[in-house]
Amino acid sequence: MRTRRRSDDDFRREIDAHIDLETDRLIADGLDPADARAAAKRKFGNVAQAHEIFYESRRIIWLDDLRRDSRYAFKAFTRTPGFMIVAILTLALAIGLNTAIFSIVDGVLLRRLPVPDADRLVRLFETNAEAGRPRAGGSPANFIDWRRTASTIDALTAIGDTSLTMTGVAEPEVIIGMIVSREFFSLAGATPVLGRTFAAADFELVANAALGPIAIREAATGDATVIISDWLWRRQFGSDPRIVGRQILLNGRRAAIIGVMHRDFLLDETRTGKADCWLPLVESRMATYRRFRQFTILGRLTAGTDVSRAQAEMSVIAASLAREHPRDNEGWGVHVTPLHESVVGGARGVLLILLGCVGCVLLIACGNVASLLLMRAEGRAREVAVRMALGAGRSRLVRQWLTESVLLSLLGGTAGLAVAFWAVPAIVASAPPNLPRVDEIAVDARIFAFTLSVSMLTGMLCGLAPAFAARTSTGRVVQALRSTGVAALGPGGRWLRQSLVVAHVGLAIVLLVAAGLMVRTLIAVHALDLGFEPRNVLTFGVDLRDEKYRGLANIRTFSRELIARLEALPGVEAAGVGSVPLLGGISNDFGVEHREEPVHSRMDVPSPGYFLGLGIRLRHGRFFVDADDQSNELVAIVNRAFARTAWGSDEVVGRRLRASQSADRWMTVVGVVDDLRMSDLESEAPAVVYIPHLQSGIATFNNYVVRTTGDPQDVIPLVRDAVRGLDAAVAVTRIATMEERVQRAVAPRAFNLLLIGLFAMVALVLAIVGLYGLISEAVASRTSEIGVRMALGARRGEVIRLVLGRSLVITAAGVLLGLGAAAAATRYLEGMLFGPTPLDPMTFAGVPLLFGIVAALAAVMPARRATHVDPVVALRCE
Amino acid sequence: MSTRKEAREPIALLQGTLDLLILRTLVFGSQHGQGIARAIELQSADTLLVDHGSLYPALQRLEARGWISAEWGVSDNNRKARFYTLTGIGRRQLVTETRQWRRLAAAIGGILGPEEA
């Protein structure tokens, strides 16, 4: 049973009362008042001790001590604000950066996907290694069979995508549609914020099938049903609350909006971008398509199974399907993988490396603060001695120091949160487009908890340094009390500081090497010859889905007229139609004279202005002209890669080739152009055959390329007008300047460099600061020694050598250590490099050189101070 | 307890004994700290000299355990003092402890044998 807490005052009154009573008694016994009181007090015994016992009996001692230590620490800090500011800033920077990177790692890698039962969700791929398609989508027919036979996976869902031209609204545009099967909304656990999800009947509507990726011939009656995204609802319909039931035109067909999806619905990523609307998958119209492998298939593991069991079952099912449908499915297997893995797997490597790098920065910061604390401890030798003389145990002192450093770190951590709040959006904004789950990155309670724990750990780590190095033996204490010149830290402290600096330098070198490799990678990427001139080039596309553009002839007419209009615009130098570089293209087989096998190569169908528009370089022969049309000889242009593959040389003007499917249409080569990078920046430029767009019987493109004299952005409104002038119902889409596209392609590399470079710079600064501190301290503590030597005739060079000698050894040790660690560690960077190898000699030689120069600069000031010591002054103060 | 010359050790040993004596003293009615000290000295015919101050840790302990309760009151000569009273539990505890103590004393007496003349 607990009695009510008594206050100290209450107890004091009780003791006073006791003594009074005893005094009265003794007076009654015959003593005089003064003697009586003295005797009473004597009889009581040690009042102070009684107080102490009472006091201690009702308190939690360590909490009390903590409070007292904290208050003491605060006062100590405010007395030396310089130290406090430097330490807190250092910690804020390091902890802040760590928090920022951890937020990203948490949001992308660690958090569960925002759907119910996220850890049981899997994704199924069709695979056919021989055909070079290890991860293909699923086909509708296969999907239906899987769903029917699989027992380890339920809620199988197929997701496809398509692009739709939306008209009947203020601004026609091309939007991205997500086609989903029945189970999608329950799998995703989402309900619309307005309206409803799809009913069973919607999955049978012909109108819906007509909007899908597979063309159907039936006439559609009634409206298609579509759910739109929150963003589309805002930007096209002004968040109209009466949107449900509204009719729009998609690809020229009537569609009714039956619902609006929630704004936080995150399962909206398609292969081409975020979905603007959802459509039902009409399986009945696709059930026979077994080779159209364009659907993303998701499922949920049934209770009690795991991925390997599901994989085993699906492999069996795939094998039996291959037997039943040999023409379509032979050689095709199924791969089951957890959804989480397929979403984030690609980013994991890079993110973990970034986390490692920023962790190094934190270690260096810890070391710096530990050094500062060590220095401070030296200055408090007297205080330590006095406290020990008064009876403080060593553990008590250690507790005090730990409290100080943890307090410091918590303050630093709080400031670091502010840094993180600023840094996370900045990093996310510059993140490359291939970083998954960017929307889920946030600084929230989990991140706070992380920051808190990191701060406390940091504090304890830093605080251990002075605790470890302090000398608390009685002899030293006495000495400290007697004189003022003895350091509280013995050789232990000095050694600790020096090894800290070695570690700093080593870590900084590792980060600098990593950054150096990133720099070289970026330079290598930028130095790639694109094969065309990206500056001042605008690209865009049109969507010609309307009936009147059926057939190549109609499209060609449209193109020709549009190009004429574009070239007539002011500020336009050249315009043409053709595929956009860096985005990929189509390929075909081409037969070549005197060669058995056809050459498999890319194909493009440009107009004459295309080559000028992109600035493609001509090697031999000529570009296309308007006369290269149906009425004249069939011609083609090839690039050097094709020429060399097919004929072994560049000079191939006049040779003939044909597309394999057009057996008798031989084309004569009239020009050879330089290679350009068709699909992505870093792969080898492929072989390409160019066929004039007026002569092509195979395909045509709806991409346009415009070279401008000035800023391409200025031309955009003129382009829109030109298109609208031809046909108001045609939407202009995929507008971007070529430079933007190149930037986007380089973005991932640039992002890596940005972050690692930042960390390396911070590490460098911290390491140099630590080095500078060490050298300064060496000079300061040996001032008298230097004075003596100079008085005895030592020259400046000798003094400098004396002072810097040790620091040189330390720096060199650190650099060597760092290079060794870097050599071991850079192999993990392999995936991030393009150009240099992980053990790139230039980087490994250049970084120590750079560091040496910076370190030398840092050493200049203390060295000068050393040589300017006045021997007389130095000798006097002893 | 004991004379002041003794070190702290014996006191620690006799902590339980002090509790017992306090409880016994309070059987006769409520009393304040000084009164309890006096009573012990008196009844032991001054053999046991109590450091009055060392009484209080014992009193606090007993109060925390709920064997005694305390209240501010006024003494005979009109001084304010804190009076301690035995509680029901304390009374039962006293009986138990007394019995144990007598058994212990008898056992030790048996070993030591009768007092030599």
Side-chain angles (χ1 to χ4, degrees), chain A residues 86-114:
Chain A
V86 170
I88 291 183
L89 279 181
T90 310
L91 287 171
L93 190 62
I95 296 181
L97 285 178
N98 267 276
T99 305
I101 297 296
F102 181 77
S103 311
I104 296 177
V105 169
D106 185 55
V108 173
L109 292 182
L110 296 179
R111 267 189 236 246
R112 301 169 81 229
L113 292 171

PDB file of all heavy atoms in Angstrom, chain A residues 86-114:
ATOM      1  N   VAL A  86      28.867  24.778 -33.667  1.00  0.00           N
ATOM      2  CA  VAL A  86      29.575  23.934 -34.640  1.00  0.00           C
ATOM      3  C   VAL A  86      29.106  22.495 -34.528  1.00  0.00           C
ATOM      4  O   VAL A  86      28.782  21.835 -35.522  1.00  0.00           O
ATOM      5  CB  VAL A  86      31.096  24.025 -34.416  1.00  0.00           C
ATOM      6  CG1 VAL A  86      31.799  22.977 -35.245  1.00  0.00           C
ATOM      7  CG2 VAL A  86      31.598  25.395 -34.773  1.00  0.00           C
ATOM      8  N   ALA A  87      29.040  22.009 -33.280  1.00  0.00           N
ATOM      9  CA  ALA A  87      28.638  20.611 -33.102  1.00  0.00           C
ATOM     10  C   ALA A  87      27.226  20.375 -33.608  1.00  0.00           C
ATOM     11  O   ALA A  87      26.956  19.408 -34.328  1.00  0.00           O
ATOM     12  CB  ALA A  87      28.742  20.245 -31.621  1.00  0.00           C
ATOM     13  N   ILE A  88      26.317  21.282 -33.247  1.00  0.00           N
ATOM     14  CA  ILE A  88      24.928  21.063 -33.658  1.00  0.00           C
ATOM     15  C   ILE A  88      24.788  21.145 -35.172  1.00  0.00           C
ATOM     16  O   ILE A  88      24.072  20.351 -35.787  1.00  0.00           O
ATOM     17  CB  ILE A  88      23.995  22.066 -32.960  1.00  0.00           C
ATOM     18  CG1 ILE A  88      23.944  21.741 -31.473  1.00  0.00           C
ATOM     19  CG2 ILE A  88      22.607  22.017 -33.555  1.00  0.00           C
ATOM     20  CD1 ILE A  88      22.999  22.604 -30.705  1.00  0.00           C
ATOM     21  N   LEU A  89      25.481  22.096 -35.796  1.00  0.00           N
ATOM     22  CA  LEU A  89      25.373  22.206 -37.244  1.00  0.00           C
ATOM     23  C   LEU A  89      25.890  20.946 -37.928  1.00  0.00           C
ATOM     24  O   LEU A  89      25.272  20.416 -38.851  1.00  0.00           O
ATOM     25  CB  LEU A  89      26.163  23.417 -37.737  1.00  0.00           C
ATOM     26  CG  LEU A  89      25.438  24.738 -37.606  1.00  0.00           C
ATOM     27  CD1 LEU A  89      26.304  25.864 -38.150  1.00  0.00           C
ATOM     28  CD2 LEU A  89      24.121  24.706 -38.361  1.00  0.00           C
ATOM     29  N   THR A  90      27.056  20.482 -37.439  1.00  0.00           N
ATOM     30  CA  THR A  90      27.612  19.272 -38.038  1.00  0.00           C
ATOM     31  C   THR A  90      26.618  18.125 -37.931  1.00  0.00           C
ATOM     32  O   THR A  90      26.329  17.434 -38.905  1.00  0.00           O
ATOM     33  CB  THR A  90      28.904  18.876 -37.305  1.00  0.00           C
ATOM     34  OG1 THR A  90      29.749  20.004 -37.221  1.00  0.00           O
ATOM     35  CG2 THR A  90      29.602  17.752 -38.037  1.00  0.00           C
ATOM     36  N   LEU A  91      26.094  17.934 -36.716  1.00  0.00           N
ATOM     37  CA  LEU A  91      25.156  16.837 -36.525  1.00  0.00           C
ATOM     38  C   LEU A  91      23.878  17.047 -37.320  1.00  0.00           C
ATOM     39  O   LEU A  91      23.322  16.094 -37.870  1.00  0.00           O
ATOM     40  CB  LEU A  91      24.829  16.701 -35.035  1.00  0.00           C
ATOM     41  CG  LEU A  91      25.949  16.123 -34.212  1.00  0.00           C
ATOM     42  CD1 LEU A  91      25.618  16.223 -32.742  1.00  0.00           C
ATOM     43  CD2 LEU A  91      26.187  14.677 -34.590  1.00  0.00           C
ATOM     44  N   ALA A  92      23.408  18.300 -37.377  1.00  0.00           N
ATOM     45  CA  ALA A  92      22.171  18.560 -38.110  1.00  0.00           C
ATOM     46  C   ALA A  92      22.330  18.157 -39.568  1.00  0.00           C
ATOM     47  O   ALA A  92      21.469  17.497 -40.145  1.00  0.00           O
ATOM     48  CB  ALA A  92      21.797  20.031 -37.994  1.00  0.00           C
ATOM     49  N   LEU A  93      23.444  18.548 -40.141  1.00  0.00           N
ATOM     50  CA  LEU A  93      23.671  18.220 -41.545  1.00  0.00           C
ATOM     51  C   LEU A  93      23.698  16.711 -41.748  1.00  0.00           C
ATOM     52  O   LEU A  93      23.002  16.160 -42.610  1.00  0.00           O
ATOM     53  CB  LEU A  93      24.997  18.834 -41.992  1.00  0.00           C
ATOM     54  CG  LEU A  93      25.271  18.801 -43.485  1.00  0.00           C
ATOM     55  CD1 LEU A  93      24.225  19.600 -44.215  1.00  0.00           C
ATOM     56  CD2 LEU A  93      26.653  19.353 -43.774  1.00  0.00           C
ATOM     57  N   ALA A  94      24.491  16.034 -40.915  1.00  0.00           N
ATOM     58  CA  ALA A  94      24.651  14.601 -41.114  1.00  0.00           C
ATOM     59  C   ALA A  94      23.350  13.857 -40.834  1.00  0.00           C
ATOM     60  O   ALA A  94      22.913  13.017 -41.615  1.00  0.00           O
ATOM     61  CB  ALA A  94      25.768  14.072 -40.221  1.00  0.00           C
ATOM     62  N   ILE A  95      22.719  14.171 -39.702  1.00  0.00           N
ATOM     63  CA  ILE A  95      21.489  13.467 -39.367  1.00  0.00           C
ATOM     64  C   ILE A  95      20.392  13.824 -40.360  1.00  0.00           C
ATOM     65  O   ILE A  95      19.594  12.981 -40.767  1.00  0.00           O
ATOM     66  CB  ILE A  95      21.049  13.786 -37.925  1.00  0.00           C
ATOM     67  CG1 ILE A  95      22.102  13.270 -36.953  1.00  0.00           C
ATOM     68  CG2 ILE A  95      19.706  13.162 -37.622  1.00  0.00           C
ATOM     69  CD1 ILE A  95      21.766  13.503 -35.506  1.00  0.00           C
ATOM     70  N   GLY A  96      20.369  15.086 -40.783  1.00  0.00           N
ATOM     71  CA  GLY A  96      19.351  15.494 -41.746  1.00  0.00           C
ATOM     72  C   GLY A  96      19.472  14.734 -43.056  1.00  0.00           C
ATOM     73  O   GLY A  96      18.485  14.223 -43.586  1.00  0.00           O
ATOM     74  N   LEU A  97      20.700  14.644 -43.561  1.00  0.00           N
ATOM     75  CA  LEU A  97      20.873  13.918 -44.820  1.00  0.00           C
ATOM     76  C   LEU A  97      20.502  12.453 -44.658  1.00  0.00           C
ATOM     77  O   LEU A  97      19.871  11.852 -45.529  1.00  0.00           O
ATOM     78  CB  LEU A  97      22.328  14.046 -45.293  1.00  0.00           C
ATOM     79  CG  LEU A  97      22.706  15.396 -45.874  1.00  0.00           C
ATOM     80  CD1 LEU A  97      24.169  15.422 -46.250  1.00  0.00           C
ATOM     81  CD2 LEU A  97      21.863  15.706 -47.099  1.00  0.00           C
ATOM     82  N   ASN A  98      20.911  11.889 -43.516  1.00  0.00           N
ATOM     83  CA  ASN A  98      20.563  10.491 -43.283  1.00  0.00           C
ATOM     84  C   ASN A  98      19.063  10.298 -43.232  1.00  0.00           C
ATOM     85  O   ASN A  98      18.517   9.347 -43.795  1.00  0.00           O
ATOM     86  CB  ASN A  98      21.165  10.022 -41.956  1.00  0.00           C
ATOM     87  CG  ASN A  98      22.511   9.384 -42.157  1.00  0.00           C
ATOM     88  OD1 ASN A  98      22.619   8.212 -42.469  1.00  0.00           O
ATOM     89  ND2 ASN A  98      23.537  10.179 -42.036  1.00  0.00           N
ATOM     90  N   THR A  99      18.390  11.209 -42.553  1.00  0.00           N
ATOM     91  CA  THR A  99      16.938  11.112 -42.477  1.00  0.00           C
ATOM     92  C   THR A  99      16.322  11.212 -43.863  1.00  0.00           C
ATOM     93  O   THR A  99      15.406  10.458 -44.197  1.00  0.00           O
ATOM     94  CB  THR A  99      16.379  12.222 -41.588  1.00  0.00           C
ATOM     95  OG1 THR A  99      17.018  12.148 -40.322  1.00  0.00           O
ATOM     96  CG2 THR A  99      14.892  12.090 -41.421  1.00  0.00           C
ATOM     97  N   ALA A 100      16.840  12.132 -44.667  1.00  0.00           N
ATOM     98  CA  ALA A 100      16.270  12.315 -45.998  1.00  0.00           C
ATOM     99  C   ALA A 100      16.411  11.038 -46.820  1.00  0.00           C
ATOM    100  O   ALA A 100      15.447  10.546 -47.407  1.00  0.00           O
ATOM    101  CB  ALA A 100      16.953  13.481 -46.708  1.00  0.00           C
ATOM    102  N   ILE A 101      17.608  10.494 -46.840  1.00  0.00           N
ATOM    103  CA  ILE A 101      17.809   9.283 -47.629  1.00  0.00           C
ATOM    104  C   ILE A 101      16.981   8.140 -47.062  1.00  0.00           C
ATOM    105  O   ILE A 101      16.397   7.347 -47.803  1.00  0.00           O
ATOM    106  CB  ILE A 101      19.302   8.891 -47.657  1.00  0.00           C
ATOM    107  CG1 ILE A 101      20.105   9.977 -48.328  1.00  0.00           C
ATOM    108  CG2 ILE A 101      19.478   7.572 -48.398  1.00  0.00           C
ATOM    109  CD1 ILE A 101      19.760  10.189 -49.764  1.00  0.00           C
ATOM    110  N   PHE A 102      16.909   8.076 -45.735  1.00  0.00           N
ATOM    111  CA  PHE A 102      16.118   7.000 -45.156  1.00  0.00           C
ATOM    112  C   PHE A 102      14.657   7.147 -45.518  1.00  0.00           C
ATOM    113  O   PHE A 102      13.965   6.156 -45.736  1.00  0.00           O
ATOM    114  CB  PHE A 102      16.279   6.972 -43.636  1.00  0.00           C
ATOM    115  CG  PHE A 102      15.498   5.871 -43.004  1.00  0.00           C
ATOM    116  CD1 PHE A 102      15.942   4.573 -43.049  1.00  0.00           C
ATOM    117  CD2 PHE A 102      14.294   6.140 -42.381  1.00  0.00           C
ATOM    118  CE1 PHE A 102      15.214   3.559 -42.482  1.00  0.00           C
ATOM    119  CE2 PHE A 102      13.555   5.134 -41.810  1.00  0.00           C
ATOM    120  CZ  PHE A 102      14.011   3.828 -41.863  1.00  0.00           C
ATOM    121  N   SER A 103      14.165   8.394 -45.583  1.00  0.00           N
ATOM    122  CA  SER A 103      12.771   8.581 -46.002  1.00  0.00           C
ATOM    123  C   SER A 103      12.548   7.975 -47.366  1.00  0.00           C
ATOM    124  O   SER A 103      11.530   7.330 -47.612  1.00  0.00           O
ATOM    125  CB  SER A 103      12.408  10.057 -46.112  1.00  0.00           C
ATOM    126  OG  SER A 103      12.795  10.746 -44.999  1.00  0.00           O
ATOM    127  N   ILE A 104      13.504   8.200 -48.246  1.00  0.00           N
ATOM    128  CA  ILE A 104      13.347   7.672 -49.593  1.00  0.00           C
ATOM    129  C   ILE A 104      13.410   6.157 -49.581  1.00  0.00           C
ATOM    130  O   ILE A 104      12.577   5.476 -50.184  1.00  0.00           O
ATOM    131  CB  ILE A 104      14.415   8.262 -50.523  1.00  0.00           C
ATOM    132  CG1 ILE A 104      14.199   9.765 -50.617  1.00  0.00           C
ATOM    133  CG2 ILE A 104      14.378   7.615 -51.881  1.00  0.00           C
ATOM    134  CD1 ILE A 104      15.202  10.477 -51.426  1.00  0.00           C
ATOM    135  N   VAL A 105      14.390   5.627 -48.848  1.00  0.00           N
ATOM    136  CA  VAL A 105      14.495   4.173 -48.778  1.00  0.00           C
ATOM    137  C   VAL A 105      13.229   3.590 -48.167  1.00  0.00           C
ATOM    138  O   VAL A 105      12.703   2.581 -48.630  1.00  0.00           O
ATOM    139  CB  VAL A 105      15.723   3.767 -47.940  1.00  0.00           C
ATOM    140  CG1 VAL A 105      15.699   2.298 -47.633  1.00  0.00           C
ATOM    141  CG2 VAL A 105      16.989   4.114 -48.680  1.00  0.00           C
ATOM    142  N   ASP A 106      12.734   4.256 -47.141  1.00  0.00           N
ATOM    143  CA  ASP A 106      11.537   3.757 -46.475  1.00  0.00           C
ATOM    144  C   ASP A 106      10.349   3.778 -47.419  1.00  0.00           C
ATOM    145  O   ASP A 106       9.632   2.800 -47.579  1.00  0.00           O
ATOM    146  CB  ASP A 106      11.253   4.622 -45.244  1.00  0.00           C
ATOM    147  CG  ASP A 106      10.101   4.101 -44.435  1.00  0.00           C
ATOM    148  OD1 ASP A 106      10.150   2.930 -44.044  1.00  0.00           O
ATOM    149  OD2 ASP A 106       9.145   4.852 -44.214  1.00  0.00           O
ATOM    150  N   GLY A 107      10.132   4.920 -48.060  1.00  0.00           N
ATOM    151  CA  GLY A 107       8.969   5.057 -48.923  1.00  0.00           C
ATOM    152  C   GLY A 107       9.010   4.107 -50.109  1.00  0.00           C
ATOM    153  O   GLY A 107       7.995   3.560 -50.523  1.00  0.00           O
ATOM    154  N   VAL A 108      10.210   3.888 -50.652  1.00  0.00           N
ATOM    155  CA  VAL A 108      10.292   3.074 -51.861  1.00  0.00           C
ATOM    156  C   VAL A 108      10.453   1.595 -51.537  1.00  0.00           C
ATOM    157  O   VAL A 108       9.784   0.747 -52.113  1.00  0.00           O
ATOM    158  CB  VAL A 108      11.473   3.546 -52.738  1.00  0.00           C
ATOM    159  CG1 VAL A 108      11.676   2.619 -53.905  1.00  0.00           C
ATOM    160  CG2 VAL A 108      11.226   4.946 -53.227  1.00  0.00           C
ATOM    161  N   LEU A 109      11.361   1.271 -50.607  1.00  0.00           N
ATOM    162  CA  LEU A 109      11.693  -0.128 -50.399  1.00  0.00           C
ATOM    163  C   LEU A 109      10.965  -0.778 -49.230  1.00  0.00           C
ATOM    164  O   LEU A 109      10.552  -1.917 -49.315  1.00  0.00           O
ATOM    165  CB  LEU A 109      13.198  -0.271 -50.134  1.00  0.00           C
ATOM    166  CG  LEU A 109      14.149   0.022 -51.276  1.00  0.00           C
ATOM    167  CD1 LEU A 109      15.561  -0.232 -50.832  1.00  0.00           C
ATOM    168  CD2 LEU A 109      13.816  -0.824 -52.478  1.00  0.00           C
ATOM    169  N   LEU A 110      10.859  -0.034 -48.124  1.00  0.00           N
ATOM    170  CA  LEU A 110      10.441  -0.717 -46.901  1.00  0.00           C
ATOM    171  C   LEU A 110       8.933  -0.765 -46.702  1.00  0.00           C
ATOM    172  O   LEU A 110       8.407  -1.741 -46.210  1.00  0.00           O
ATOM    173  CB  LEU A 110      11.073  -0.037 -45.685  1.00  0.00           C
ATOM    174  CG  LEU A 110      12.580  -0.120 -45.633  1.00  0.00           C
ATOM    175  CD1 LEU A 110      13.102   0.612 -44.413  1.00  0.00           C
ATOM    176  CD2 LEU A 110      13.027  -1.560 -45.587  1.00  0.00           C
ATOM    177  N   ARG A 111       8.277   0.296 -47.087  1.00  0.00           N
ATOM    178  CA  ARG A 111       6.845   0.314 -46.795  1.00  0.00           C
ATOM    179  C   ARG A 111       6.115  -0.711 -47.619  1.00  0.00           C
ATOM    180  O   ARG A 111       6.457  -0.978 -48.764  1.00  0.00           O
ATOM    181  CB  ARG A 111       6.271   1.686 -47.136  1.00  0.00           C
ATOM    182  CG  ARG A 111       6.270   2.607 -45.960  1.00  0.00           C
ATOM    183  CD  ARG A 111       5.499   3.822 -46.327  1.00  0.00           C
ATOM    184  NE  ARG A 111       6.345   4.977 -46.134  1.00  0.00           N
ATOM    185  CZ  ARG A 111       6.122   5.900 -45.232  1.00  0.00           C
ATOM    186  NH1 ARG A 111       5.078   5.806 -44.477  1.00  0.00           N
ATOM    187  NH2 ARG A 111       6.939   6.920 -45.108  1.00  0.00           N
ATOM    188  N   ARG A 112       5.062  -1.230 -47.025  1.00  0.00           N
ATOM    189  CA  ARG A 112       4.256  -2.161 -47.786  1.00  0.00           C
ATOM    190  C   ARG A 112       3.520  -1.402 -48.878  1.00  0.00           C
ATOM    191  O   ARG A 112       3.183  -0.260 -48.724  1.00  0.00           O
ATOM    192  CB  ARG A 112       3.260  -2.831 -46.853  1.00  0.00           C
ATOM    193  CG  ARG A 112       3.958  -3.575 -45.729  1.00  0.00           C
ATOM    194  CD  ARG A 112       2.965  -3.984 -44.684  1.00  0.00           C
ATOM    195  NE  ARG A 112       2.276  -5.185 -45.060  1.00  0.00           N
ATOM    196  CZ  ARG A 112       0.949  -5.333 -45.014  1.00  0.00           C
ATOM    197  NH1 ARG A 112       0.206  -4.365 -44.597  1.00  0.00           N
ATOM    198  NH2 ARG A 112       0.402  -6.457 -45.376  1.00  0.00           N
ATOM    199  N   LEU A 113       3.232  -2.094 -49.943  1.00  0.00           N
ATOM    200  CA  LEU A 113       2.472  -1.451 -51.003  1.00  0.00           C
ATOM    201  C   LEU A 113       1.102  -1.053 -50.477  1.00  0.00           C
ATOM    202  O   LEU A 113       0.525  -1.754 -49.653  1.00  0.00           O
ATOM    203  CB  LEU A 113       2.311  -2.423 -52.177  1.00  0.00           C
ATOM    204  CG  LEU A 113       3.604  -2.753 -52.915  1.00  0.00           C
ATOM    205  CD1 LEU A 113       3.369  -3.866 -53.905  1.00  0.00           C
ATOM    206  CD2 LEU A 113       4.138  -1.515 -53.620  1.00  0.00           C
ATOM    207  N   PRO A 114       0.560   0.035 -50.962  1.00  0.00           N
ATOM    208  CA  PRO A 114      -0.672   0.569 -50.376  1.00  0.00           C
ATOM    209  C   PRO A 114      -1.922  -0.165 -50.817  1.00  0.00           C
ATOM    210  O   PRO A 114      -2.908   0.449 -51.184  1.00  0.00           O
ATOM    211  CB  PRO A 114      -0.675   2.010 -50.896  1.00  0.00           C
ATOM    212  CG  PRO A 114      -0.010   1.906 -52.212  1.00  0.00           C
ATOM    213  CD  PRO A 114       1.060   0.887 -52.071  1.00  0.00           C
TER     214      PRO A 114
END
